[in-house]
Amino acid sequence: MIPVFWIGQFVFSWTMWLIFAKKGRWHKYLSVCIFASWLSLVAEAIMVHYHLWSYSGHPLIGLLINGFGVYIVTLYLFIQWLPNDHSFKTLFWYFFKWTLAAIIFEMIHAWFGHITYHKWWNIGFSYLADWFLFWLLFKYHLFVTTERHSLS
């Protein structure tokens, strides 16, 4: 049985998409969302396998709910609202806001016991990983967008 928390998180994620997403852009953002989803599944499977963190309940529940809910919706909105100005200062503050929101979301998980850290992993490493992941997915989006335009 899937705990109510995970179902609620999945429903909340997709509700945010329904409210805030510019749905006509899905074809522009689909590849980065799929990449983010698969990247999350691989990264989280590695972290769970090496027991650096664990989810409450069956480990697949957290992996799948995050991979097909939170990560897809978060990246869609992240890319949708990217500022046109890609200067260091503008992107730094944009990434800061998103990583802050992501780490608060993770802290809520930890507070309620839905994620537990093990060995040397802690919330600080998660925060640094968020910066890296948002940067990587931003770069992937730029690459895909540039490739798409060069093929036209």
Side-chain angles (χ1 to χ4, degrees), residues 77-120:
L77 297 175
F78 174 78
I79 297 301
Q80 171 183 292
W81 291 326
L82 269 172
N84 291 328
D85 176 12
H86 288 178
S87 69
F88 177 80
K89 181 180 175 184
T90 302
L91 286 177
F92 175 84
W93 286 111
Y94 186 72
F95 279 52
F96 176 75
K97 292 172 198 173
W98 279 92
T99 57
L100 182 62
I103 207 63
I104 289 170
F105 187 73
E106 188 168 322
M107 289 170 75
I108 292 168
H109 276 70
W111 176 267
F112 287 104
H114 299 291
I115 187 172
T116 306
Y117 303 110
H118 306 287
K119 298 182 182 176
W120 50 268

mmCIF file of all heavy atoms in Angstrom, residues 77-120:
data_model
loop_
_atom_site.group_PDB
_atom_site.id
_atom_site.type_symbol
_atom_site.label_atom_id
_atom_site.label_comp_id
_atom_site.label_asym_id
_atom_site.label_seq_id
_atom_site.Cartn_x
_atom_site.Cartn_y
_atom_site.Cartn_z
ATOM 1 N N LEU A 77 8.619 23.728 -14.608
ATOM 2 C CA LEU A 77 8.440 25.094 -14.139
ATOM 3 C C LEU A 77 9.766 25.849 -14.081
ATOM 4 O O LEU A 77 9.832 27.034 -14.408
ATOM 5 C CB LEU A 77 7.745 25.095 -12.775
ATOM 6 C CG LEU A 77 6.328 24.513 -12.766
ATOM 7 C CD1 LEU A 77 5.777 24.453 -11.354
ATOM 8 C CD2 LEU A 77 5.403 25.277 -13.697
ATOM 9 N N PHE A 78 10.826 25.175 -13.703
ATOM 10 C CA PHE A 78 12.161 25.787 -13.662
ATOM 11 C C PHE A 78 12.561 26.298 -15.042
ATOM 12 O O PHE A 78 13.000 27.439 -15.200
ATOM 13 C CB PHE A 78 13.178 24.757 -13.156
ATOM 14 C CG PHE A 78 14.607 25.221 -13.211
ATOM 15 C CD1 PHE A 78 15.100 26.094 -12.251
ATOM 16 C CD2 PHE A 78 15.457 24.768 -14.202
ATOM 17 C CE1 PHE A 78 16.424 26.510 -12.293
ATOM 18 C CE2 PHE A 78 16.774 25.176 -14.252
ATOM 19 C CZ PHE A 78 17.264 26.053 -13.291
ATOM 20 N N ILE A 79 12.389 25.477 -16.056
ATOM 21 C CA ILE A 79 12.753 25.872 -17.423
ATOM 22 C C ILE A 79 11.773 26.922 -17.951
ATOM 23 O O ILE A 79 12.175 27.893 -18.587
ATOM 24 C CB ILE A 79 12.796 24.634 -18.352
ATOM 25 C CG1 ILE A 79 13.884 23.661 -17.902
ATOM 26 C CG2 ILE A 79 12.981 25.046 -19.801
ATOM 27 C CD1 ILE A 79 15.289 24.221 -17.882
ATOM 28 N N GLN A 80 10.505 26.743 -17.667
ATOM 29 C CA GLN A 80 9.490 27.690 -18.136
ATOM 30 C C GLN A 80 9.778 29.104 -17.659
ATOM 31 O O GLN A 80 9.590 30.064 -18.400
ATOM 32 C CB GLN A 80 8.120 27.236 -17.644
ATOM 33 C CG GLN A 80 7.008 28.239 -17.866
ATOM 34 C CD GLN A 80 5.703 27.750 -17.292
ATOM 35 O OE1 GLN A 80 5.134 26.793 -17.786
ATOM 36 N NE2 GLN A 80 5.227 28.390 -16.225
ATOM 37 N N TRP A 81 10.208 29.251 -16.422
ATOM 38 C CA TRP A 81 10.404 30.576 -15.833
ATOM 39 C C TRP A 81 11.847 31.061 -15.900
ATOM 40 O O TRP A 81 12.191 32.064 -15.250
ATOM 41 C CB TRP A 81 9.923 30.583 -14.386
ATOM 42 C CG TRP A 81 8.433 30.462 -14.260
ATOM 43 C CD1 TRP A 81 7.494 30.967 -15.104
ATOM 44 C CD2 TRP A 81 7.717 29.782 -13.228
ATOM 45 N NE1 TRP A 81 6.240 30.660 -14.659
ATOM 46 C CE2 TRP A 81 6.340 29.927 -13.500
ATOM 47 C CE3 TRP A 81 8.092 29.069 -12.100
ATOM 48 C CZ2 TRP A 81 5.351 29.390 -12.692
ATOM 49 C CZ3 TRP A 81 7.110 28.543 -11.291
ATOM 50 C CH2 TRP A 81 5.757 28.702 -11.582
ATOM 51 N N LEU A 82 12.699 30.368 -16.653
ATOM 52 C CA LEU A 82 14.091 30.834 -16.776
ATOM 53 C C LEU A 82 14.111 32.298 -17.215
ATOM 54 O O LEU A 82 13.382 32.677 -18.140
ATOM 55 C CB LEU A 82 14.833 30.016 -17.837
ATOM 56 C CG LEU A 82 15.571 28.788 -17.378
ATOM 57 C CD1 LEU A 82 16.067 28.003 -18.579
ATOM 58 C CD2 LEU A 82 16.700 29.119 -16.438
ATOM 59 N N PRO A 83 14.949 33.089 -16.587
ATOM 60 C CA PRO A 83 15.042 34.487 -17.024
ATOM 61 C C PRO A 83 15.712 34.571 -18.393
ATOM 62 O O PRO A 83 16.552 33.726 -18.738
ATOM 63 C CB PRO A 83 15.902 35.146 -15.935
ATOM 64 C CG PRO A 83 16.615 34.034 -15.262
ATOM 65 C CD PRO A 83 15.792 32.800 -15.430
ATOM 66 N N ASN A 84 15.343 35.567 -19.168
ATOM 67 C CA ASN A 84 15.970 35.775 -20.474
ATOM 68 C C ASN A 84 17.424 36.186 -20.329
ATOM 69 O O ASN A 84 18.249 35.872 -21.173
ATOM 70 C CB ASN A 84 15.205 36.823 -21.280
ATOM 71 C CG ASN A 84 13.846 36.311 -21.705
ATOM 72 O OD1 ASN A 84 13.670 35.116 -21.944
ATOM 73 N ND2 ASN A 84 12.874 37.199 -21.775
ATOM 74 N N ASP A 85 17.706 36.918 -19.270
ATOM 75 C CA ASP A 85 19.072 37.356 -18.982
ATOM 76 C C ASP A 85 19.829 36.194 -18.348
ATOM 77 O O ASP A 85 19.492 35.763 -17.248
ATOM 78 C CB ASP A 85 19.023 38.553 -18.027
ATOM 79 C CG ASP A 85 20.401 39.022 -17.587
ATOM 80 O OD1 ASP A 85 21.413 38.589 -18.178
ATOM 81 O OD2 ASP A 85 20.457 39.826 -16.629
ATOM 82 N N HIS A 86 20.827 35.684 -19.033
ATOM 83 C CA HIS A 86 21.604 34.558 -18.522
ATOM 84 C C HIS A 86 22.930 35.010 -17.921
ATOM 85 O O HIS A 86 23.897 34.265 -17.910
ATOM 86 C CB HIS A 86 21.853 33.528 -19.621
ATOM 87 C CG HIS A 86 20.624 32.759 -19.988
ATOM 88 N ND1 HIS A 86 20.619 31.811 -20.970
ATOM 89 C CD2 HIS A 86 19.357 32.796 -19.515
ATOM 90 C CE1 HIS A 86 19.407 31.298 -21.085
ATOM 91 N NE2 HIS A 86 18.626 31.887 -20.210
ATOM 92 N N SER A 87 22.955 36.222 -17.398
ATOM 93 C CA SER A 87 24.173 36.695 -16.740
ATOM 94 C C SER A 87 24.381 35.903 -15.456
ATOM 95 O O SER A 87 23.440 35.319 -14.897
ATOM 96 C CB SER A 87 24.075 38.188 -16.423
ATOM 97 O OG SER A 87 23.107 38.410 -15.410
ATOM 98 N N PHE A 88 25.615 35.899 -14.987
ATOM 99 C CA PHE A 88 25.948 35.148 -13.775
ATOM 100 C C PHE A 88 25.065 35.580 -12.604
ATOM 101 O O PHE A 88 24.507 34.745 -11.895
ATOM 102 C CB PHE A 88 27.429 35.331 -13.413
ATOM 103 C CG PHE A 88 27.801 34.642 -12.139
ATOM 104 C CD1 PHE A 88 28.048 33.279 -12.122
ATOM 105 C CD2 PHE A 88 27.867 35.345 -10.942
ATOM 106 C CE1 PHE A 88 28.360 32.624 -10.945
ATOM 107 C CE2 PHE A 88 28.184 34.707 -9.758
ATOM 108 C CZ PHE A 88 28.429 33.337 -9.753
ATOM 109 N N LYS A 89 24.944 36.886 -12.394
ATOM 110 C CA LYS A 89 24.178 37.411 -11.262
ATOM 111 C C LYS A 89 22.719 36.978 -11.336
ATOM 112 O O LYS A 89 22.149 36.504 -10.349
ATOM 113 C CB LYS A 89 24.274 38.929 -11.226
ATOM 114 C CG LYS A 89 23.541 39.565 -10.075
ATOM 115 C CD LYS A 89 23.683 41.078 -10.109
ATOM 116 C CE LYS A 89 22.839 41.722 -9.018
ATOM 117 N NZ LYS A 89 22.885 43.177 -9.095
ATOM 118 N N THR A 90 22.109 37.129 -12.489
ATOM 119 C CA THR A 90 20.693 36.776 -12.645
ATOM 120 C C THR A 90 20.481 35.280 -12.431
ATOM 121 O O THR A 90 19.571 34.868 -11.701
ATOM 122 C CB THR A 90 20.188 37.185 -14.037
ATOM 123 O OG1 THR A 90 20.381 38.587 -14.197
ATOM 124 C CG2 THR A 90 18.725 36.846 -14.224
ATOM 125 N N LEU A 91 21.328 34.462 -13.061
ATOM 126 C CA LEU A 91 21.181 33.012 -12.903
ATOM 127 C C LEU A 91 21.503 32.561 -11.487
ATOM 128 O O LEU A 91 20.861 31.643 -10.965
ATOM 129 C CB LEU A 91 22.055 32.270 -13.911
ATOM 130 C CG LEU A 91 21.548 32.305 -15.345
ATOM 131 C CD1 LEU A 91 22.537 31.585 -16.271
ATOM 132 C CD2 LEU A 91 20.160 31.716 -15.467
ATOM 133 N N PHE A 92 22.482 33.194 -10.850
ATOM 134 C CA PHE A 92 22.813 32.838 -9.471
ATOM 135 C C PHE A 92 21.585 32.990 -8.578
ATOM 136 O O PHE A 92 21.237 32.079 -7.820
ATOM 137 C CB PHE A 92 23.964 33.700 -8.937
ATOM 138 C CG PHE A 92 24.256 33.437 -7.491
ATOM 139 C CD1 PHE A 92 25.077 32.387 -7.124
ATOM 140 C CD2 PHE A 92 23.681 34.215 -6.486
ATOM 141 C CE1 PHE A 92 25.337 32.123 -5.792
ATOM 142 C CE2 PHE A 92 23.927 33.962 -5.152
ATOM 143 C CZ PHE A 92 24.760 32.905 -4.793
ATOM 144 N N TRP A 93 20.909 34.134 -8.652
ATOM 145 C CA TRP A 93 19.742 34.378 -7.811
ATOM 146 C C TRP A 93 18.582 33.465 -8.192
ATOM 147 O O TRP A 93 17.838 32.992 -7.329
ATOM 148 C CB TRP A 93 19.323 35.848 -7.837
ATOM 149 C CG TRP A 93 20.291 36.657 -7.041
ATOM 150 C CD1 TRP A 93 21.178 37.577 -7.517
ATOM 151 C CD2 TRP A 93 20.526 36.570 -5.629
ATOM 152 N NE1 TRP A 93 21.936 38.071 -6.488
ATOM 153 C CE2 TRP A 93 21.551 37.471 -5.307
ATOM 154 C CE3 TRP A 93 19.961 35.820 -4.596
ATOM 155 C CZ2 TRP A 93 22.020 37.646 -4.010
ATOM 156 C CZ3 TRP A 93 20.432 35.992 -3.307
ATOM 157 C CH2 TRP A 93 21.448 36.892 -3.025
ATOM 158 N N TYR A 94 18.447 33.200 -9.480
ATOM 159 C CA TYR A 94 17.392 32.287 -9.926
ATOM 160 C C TYR A 94 17.648 30.885 -9.378
ATOM 161 O O TYR A 94 16.750 30.257 -8.807
ATOM 162 C CB TYR A 94 17.336 32.269 -11.456
ATOM 163 C CG TYR A 94 16.183 31.471 -12.000
ATOM 164 C CD1 TYR A 94 14.879 31.943 -11.898
ATOM 165 C CD2 TYR A 94 16.388 30.242 -12.623
ATOM 166 C CE1 TYR A 94 13.813 31.218 -12.388
ATOM 167 C CE2 TYR A 94 15.331 29.508 -13.123
ATOM 168 C CZ TYR A 94 14.042 30.000 -13.002
ATOM 169 O OH TYR A 94 12.987 29.280 -13.489
ATOM 170 N N PHE A 95 18.870 30.386 -9.509
ATOM 171 C CA PHE A 95 19.228 29.068 -8.983
ATOM 172 C C PHE A 95 19.101 29.050 -7.460
ATOM 173 O O PHE A 95 18.661 28.059 -6.880
ATOM 174 C CB PHE A 95 20.646 28.690 -9.393
ATOM 175 C CG PHE A 95 20.761 28.144 -10.777
ATOM 176 C CD1 PHE A 95 20.240 28.820 -11.867
ATOM 177 C CD2 PHE A 95 21.426 26.960 -11.010
ATOM 178 C CE1 PHE A 95 20.358 28.322 -13.158
ATOM 179 C CE2 PHE A 95 21.553 26.451 -12.295
ATOM 180 C CZ PHE A 95 21.023 27.132 -13.359
ATOM 181 N N PHE A 96 19.495 30.137 -6.824
ATOM 182 C CA PHE A 96 19.402 30.206 -5.361
ATOM 183 C C PHE A 96 17.963 30.001 -4.908
ATOM 184 O O PHE A 96 17.700 29.247 -3.965
ATOM 185 C CB PHE A 96 19.949 31.548 -4.850
ATOM 186 C CG PHE A 96 19.793 31.711 -3.371
ATOM 187 C CD1 PHE A 96 20.624 31.028 -2.490
ATOM 188 C CD2 PHE A 96 18.806 32.534 -2.846
ATOM 189 C CE1 PHE A 96 20.473 31.162 -1.116
ATOM 190 C CE2 PHE A 96 18.642 32.673 -1.485
ATOM 191 C CZ PHE A 96 19.481 31.989 -0.611
ATOM 192 N N LYS A 97 17.029 30.683 -5.555
ATOM 193 C CA LYS A 97 15.613 30.544 -5.179
ATOM 194 C C LYS A 97 15.129 29.106 -5.353
ATOM 195 O O LYS A 97 14.425 28.559 -4.492
ATOM 196 C CB LYS A 97 14.742 31.485 -6.007
ATOM 197 C CG LYS A 97 14.954 32.947 -5.697
ATOM 198 C CD LYS A 97 14.191 33.805 -6.694
ATOM 199 C CE LYS A 97 14.704 35.219 -6.705
ATOM 200 N NZ LYS A 97 14.085 36.020 -7.768
ATOM 201 N N TRP A 98 15.495 28.494 -6.468
ATOM 202 C CA TRP A 98 15.048 27.123 -6.734
ATOM 203 C C TRP A 98 15.711 26.113 -5.807
ATOM 204 O O TRP A 98 15.061 25.173 -5.332
ATOM 205 C CB TRP A 98 15.272 26.757 -8.198
ATOM 206 C CG TRP A 98 14.179 27.304 -9.050
ATOM 207 C CD1 TRP A 98 14.155 28.505 -9.702
ATOM 208 C CD2 TRP A 98 12.921 26.689 -9.318
ATOM 209 N NE1 TRP A 98 12.971 28.675 -10.362
ATOM 210 C CE2 TRP A 98 12.190 27.566 -10.148
ATOM 211 C CE3 TRP A 98 12.338 25.491 -8.956
ATOM 212 C CZ2 TRP A 98 10.909 27.263 -10.607
ATOM 213 C CZ3 TRP A 98 11.065 25.193 -9.421
ATOM 214 C CH2 TRP A 98 10.365 26.079 -10.232
ATOM 215 N N THR A 99 17.005 26.278 -5.546
ATOM 216 C CA THR A 99 17.677 25.331 -4.641
ATOM 217 C C THR A 99 17.175 25.508 -3.213
ATOM 218 O O THR A 99 17.057 24.528 -2.475
ATOM 219 C CB THR A 99 19.206 25.471 -4.694
ATOM 220 O OG1 THR A 99 19.581 26.815 -4.382
ATOM 221 C CG2 THR A 99 19.757 25.064 -6.057
ATOM 222 N N LEU A 100 16.858 26.742 -2.837
ATOM 223 C CA LEU A 100 16.294 26.976 -1.511
ATOM 224 C C LEU A 100 14.937 26.290 -1.379
ATOM 225 O O LEU A 100 14.670 25.602 -0.380
ATOM 226 C CB LEU A 100 16.161 28.482 -1.254
ATOM 227 C CG LEU A 100 15.621 28.888 0.113
ATOM 228 C CD1 LEU A 100 16.563 28.412 1.224
ATOM 229 C CD2 LEU A 100 15.440 30.399 0.173
ATOM 230 N N ALA A 101 14.092 26.437 -2.383
ATOM 231 C CA ALA A 101 12.787 25.760 -2.360
ATOM 232 C C ALA A 101 12.964 24.242 -2.310
ATOM 233 O O ALA A 101 12.271 23.547 -1.553
ATOM 234 C CB ALA A 101 11.960 26.164 -3.579
ATOM 235 N N ALA A 102 13.908 23.729 -3.095
ATOM 236 C CA ALA A 102 14.136 22.277 -3.132
ATOM 237 C C ALA A 102 14.622 21.756 -1.784
ATOM 238 O O ALA A 102 14.181 20.696 -1.324
ATOM 239 C CB ALA A 102 15.140 21.930 -4.227
ATOM 240 N N ILE A 103 15.518 22.501 -1.136
ATOM 241 C CA ILE A 103 16.062 22.004 0.132
ATOM 242 C C ILE A 103 15.022 22.122 1.246
ATOM 243 O O ILE A 103 14.966 21.270 2.139
ATOM 244 C CB ILE A 103 17.404 22.691 0.487
ATOM 245 C CG1 ILE A 103 18.255 21.762 1.351
ATOM 246 C CG2 ILE A 103 17.209 24.026 1.149
ATOM 247 C CD1 ILE A 103 18.671 20.486 0.685
ATOM 248 N N ILE A 104 14.181 23.139 1.181
ATOM 249 C CA ILE A 104 13.089 23.235 2.162
ATOM 250 C C ILE A 104 12.135 22.055 1.992
ATOM 251 O O ILE A 104 11.705 21.431 2.971
ATOM 252 C CB ILE A 104 12.357 24.587 2.044
ATOM 253 C CG1 ILE A 104 13.258 25.710 2.562
ATOM 254 C CG2 ILE A 104 11.020 24.558 2.792
ATOM 255 C CD1 ILE A 104 12.744 27.104 2.277
ATOM 256 N N PHE A 105 11.842 21.714 0.740
ATOM 257 C CA PHE A 105 10.992 20.557 0.440
ATOM 258 C C PHE A 105 11.622 19.288 1.025
ATOM 259 O O PHE A 105 10.939 18.463 1.639
ATOM 260 C CB PHE A 105 10.829 20.458 -1.075
ATOM 261 C CG PHE A 105 9.857 19.422 -1.528
ATOM 262 C CD1 PHE A 105 8.498 19.609 -1.382
ATOM 263 C CD2 PHE A 105 10.314 18.255 -2.131
ATOM 264 C CE1 PHE A 105 7.591 18.648 -1.824
ATOM 265 C CE2 PHE A 105 9.425 17.296 -2.565
ATOM 266 C CZ PHE A 105 8.060 17.489 -2.406
ATOM 267 N N GLU A 106 12.934 19.139 0.856
ATOM 268 C CA GLU A 106 13.619 17.954 1.391
ATOM 269 C C GLU A 106 13.639 17.972 2.914
ATOM 270 O O GLU A 106 13.524 16.928 3.555
ATOM 271 C CB GLU A 106 15.041 17.869 0.840
ATOM 272 C CG GLU A 106 15.725 16.576 1.208
ATOM 273 C CD GLU A 106 17.003 16.349 0.447
ATOM 274 O OE1 GLU A 106 17.073 16.677 -0.753
ATOM 275 O OE2 GLU A 106 17.952 15.825 1.062
ATOM 276 N N MET A 107 13.794 19.145 3.492
ATOM 277 C CA MET A 107 13.790 19.249 4.957
ATOM 278 C C MET A 107 12.438 18.842 5.536
ATOM 279 O O MET A 107 12.379 18.228 6.607
ATOM 280 C CB MET A 107 14.164 20.675 5.384
ATOM 281 C CG MET A 107 15.622 21.003 5.134
ATOM 282 S SD MET A 107 15.995 22.759 5.357
ATOM 283 C CE MET A 107 15.964 22.865 7.134
ATOM 284 N N ILE A 108 11.378 19.162 4.815
ATOM 285 C CA ILE A 108 10.040 18.728 5.248
ATOM 286 C C ILE A 108 9.968 17.207 5.231
ATOM 287 O O ILE A 108 9.453 16.590 6.172
ATOM 288 C CB ILE A 108 8.944 19.371 4.369
ATOM 289 C CG1 ILE A 108 8.885 20.880 4.636
ATOM 290 C CG2 ILE A 108 7.585 18.701 4.602
ATOM 291 C CD1 ILE A 108 8.055 21.659 3.637
ATOM 292 N N HIS A 109 10.516 16.604 4.168
ATOM 293 C CA HIS A 109 10.574 15.134 4.111
ATOM 294 C C HIS A 109 11.329 14.577 5.320
ATOM 295 O O HIS A 109 10.887 13.608 5.938
ATOM 296 C CB HIS A 109 11.296 14.675 2.839
ATOM 297 C CG HIS A 109 10.435 14.598 1.641
ATOM 298 N ND1 HIS A 109 9.934 15.705 1.009
ATOM 299 C CD2 HIS A 109 9.994 13.536 0.937
ATOM 300 C CE1 HIS A 109 9.228 15.336 -0.031
ATOM 301 N NE2 HIS A 109 9.233 14.019 -0.098
ATOM 302 N N ALA A 110 12.480 15.162 5.619
ATOM 303 C CA ALA A 110 13.302 14.677 6.732
ATOM 304 C C ALA A 110 12.592 14.896 8.067
ATOM 305 O O ALA A 110 12.613 14.013 8.936
ATOM 306 C CB ALA A 110 14.661 15.373 6.723
ATOM 307 N N TRP A 111 11.967 16.042 8.228
ATOM 308 C CA TRP A 111 11.277 16.376 9.474
ATOM 309 C C TRP A 111 10.191 15.346 9.792
ATOM 310 O O TRP A 111 10.032 14.923 10.930
ATOM 311 C CB TRP A 111 10.680 17.774 9.358
ATOM 312 C CG TRP A 111 9.865 18.165 10.546
ATOM 313 C CD1 TRP A 111 8.521 18.010 10.701
ATOM 314 C CD2 TRP A 111 10.332 18.747 11.751
ATOM 315 N NE1 TRP A 111 8.112 18.488 11.924
ATOM 316 C CE2 TRP A 111 9.222 18.937 12.600
ATOM 317 C CE3 TRP A 111 11.593 19.137 12.212
ATOM 318 C CZ2 TRP A 111 9.332 19.488 13.867
ATOM 319 C CZ3 TRP A 111 11.686 19.692 13.473
ATOM 320 C CH2 TRP A 111 10.578 19.860 14.276
ATOM 321 N N PHE A 112 9.447 14.949 8.761
ATOM 322 C CA PHE A 112 8.363 13.990 8.969
ATOM 323 C C PHE A 112 8.814 12.535 8.851
ATOM 324 O O PHE A 112 7.994 11.627 8.936
ATOM 325 C CB PHE A 112 7.206 14.270 8.001
ATOM 326 C CG PHE A 112 6.419 15.496 8.369
ATOM 327 C CD1 PHE A 112 6.584 16.667 7.661
ATOM 328 C CD2 PHE A 112 5.539 15.473 9.437
ATOM 329 C CE1 PHE A 112 5.865 17.808 8.001
ATOM 330 C CE2 PHE A 112 4.823 16.608 9.801
ATOM 331 C CZ PHE A 112 4.988 17.777 9.080
ATOM 332 N N GLY A 113 10.107 12.324 8.648
ATOM 333 C CA GLY A 113 10.647 10.968 8.624
ATOM 334 C C GLY A 113 10.440 10.215 7.324
ATOM 335 O O GLY A 113 10.565 8.993 7.289
ATOM 336 N N HIS A 114 10.152 10.923 6.243
ATOM 337 C CA HIS A 114 9.958 10.253 4.962
ATOM 338 C C HIS A 114 11.274 10.042 4.225
ATOM 339 O O HIS A 114 11.323 9.287 3.259
ATOM 340 C CB HIS A 114 8.971 11.035 4.088
ATOM 341 C CG HIS A 114 7.626 11.150 4.726
ATOM 342 N ND1 HIS A 114 6.791 10.079 4.899
ATOM 343 C CD2 HIS A 114 6.989 12.209 5.275
ATOM 344 C CE1 HIS A 114 5.695 10.469 5.525
ATOM 345 N NE2 HIS A 114 5.797 11.757 5.753
ATOM 346 N N ILE A 115 12.308 10.725 4.658
ATOM 347 C CA ILE A 115 13.659 10.487 4.167
ATOM 348 C C ILE A 115 14.581 10.511 5.383
ATOM 349 O O ILE A 115 14.407 11.320 6.291
ATOM 350 C CB ILE A 115 14.099 11.521 3.106
ATOM 351 C CG1 ILE A 115 15.440 11.141 2.501
ATOM 352 C CG2 ILE A 115 14.159 12.914 3.677
ATOM 353 C CD1 ILE A 115 15.851 11.997 1.305
ATOM 354 N N THR A 116 15.517 9.586 5.395
ATOM 355 C CA THR A 116 16.484 9.496 6.482
ATOM 356 C C THR A 116 17.874 9.433 5.865
ATOM 357 O O THR A 116 18.097 8.688 4.899
ATOM 358 C CB THR A 116 16.244 8.223 7.323
ATOM 359 O OG1 THR A 116 14.881 8.225 7.758
ATOM 360 C CG2 THR A 116 17.171 8.162 8.513
ATOM 361 N N TYR A 117 18.798 10.224 6.399
ATOM 362 C CA TYR A 117 20.183 10.245 5.906
ATOM 363 C C TYR A 117 21.006 9.212 6.650
ATOM 364 O O TYR A 117 20.796 8.976 7.842
ATOM 365 C CB TYR A 117 20.794 11.635 6.092
ATOM 366 C CG TYR A 117 20.008 12.724 5.414
ATOM 367 C CD1 TYR A 117 19.289 13.654 6.152
ATOM 368 C CD2 TYR A 117 19.959 12.806 4.031
ATOM 369 C CE1 TYR A 117 18.550 14.640 5.530
ATOM 370 C CE2 TYR A 117 19.225 13.790 3.399
ATOM 371 C CZ TYR A 117 18.518 14.706 4.154
ATOM 372 O OH TYR A 117 17.786 15.675 3.531
ATOM 373 N N HIS A 118 21.955 8.627 5.941
ATOM 374 C CA HIS A 118 22.826 7.609 6.528
ATOM 375 C C HIS A 118 24.274 7.920 6.167
ATOM 376 O O HIS A 118 24.550 8.715 5.256
ATOM 377 C CB HIS A 118 22.467 6.219 6.002
ATOM 378 C CG HIS A 118 21.022 5.874 6.185
ATOM 379 N ND1 HIS A 118 20.461 5.573 7.400
ATOM 380 C CD2 HIS A 118 20.007 5.809 5.287
ATOM 381 C CE1 HIS A 118 19.169 5.325 7.246
ATOM 382 N NE2 HIS A 118 18.868 5.455 5.970
ATOM 383 N N LYS A 119 25.170 7.258 6.874
ATOM 384 C CA LYS A 119 26.618 7.390 6.660
ATOM 385 C C LYS A 119 27.001 8.862 6.686
ATOM 386 O O LYS A 119 26.649 9.572 7.611
ATOM 387 C CB LYS A 119 27.044 6.700 5.373
ATOM 388 C CG LYS A 119 26.767 5.192 5.374
ATOM 389 C CD LYS A 119 27.245 4.542 4.122
ATOM 390 C CE LYS A 119 26.898 3.058 4.159
ATOM 391 N NZ LYS A 119 27.263 2.386 2.933
ATOM 392 N N TRP A 120 27.705 9.326 5.680
ATOM 393 C CA TRP A 120 28.224 10.693 5.663
ATOM 394 C C TRP A 120 27.298 11.683 4.961
ATOM 395 O O TRP A 120 27.533 12.889 4.985
ATOM 396 C CB TRP A 120 29.606 10.728 5.012
ATOM 397 C CG TRP A 120 29.654 10.025 3.686
ATOM 398 C CD1 TRP A 120 29.978 8.705 3.469
ATOM 399 C CD2 TRP A 120 29.336 10.565 2.404
ATOM 400 N NE1 TRP A 120 29.879 8.400 2.136
ATOM 401 C CE2 TRP A 120 29.495 9.541 1.443
ATOM 402 C CE3 TRP A 120 28.941 11.824 1.958
ATOM 403 C CZ2 TRP A 120 29.262 9.722 0.089
ATOM 404 C CZ3 TRP A 120 28.716 12.005 0.596
ATOM 405 C CH2 TRP A 120 28.884 10.956 -0.309
#
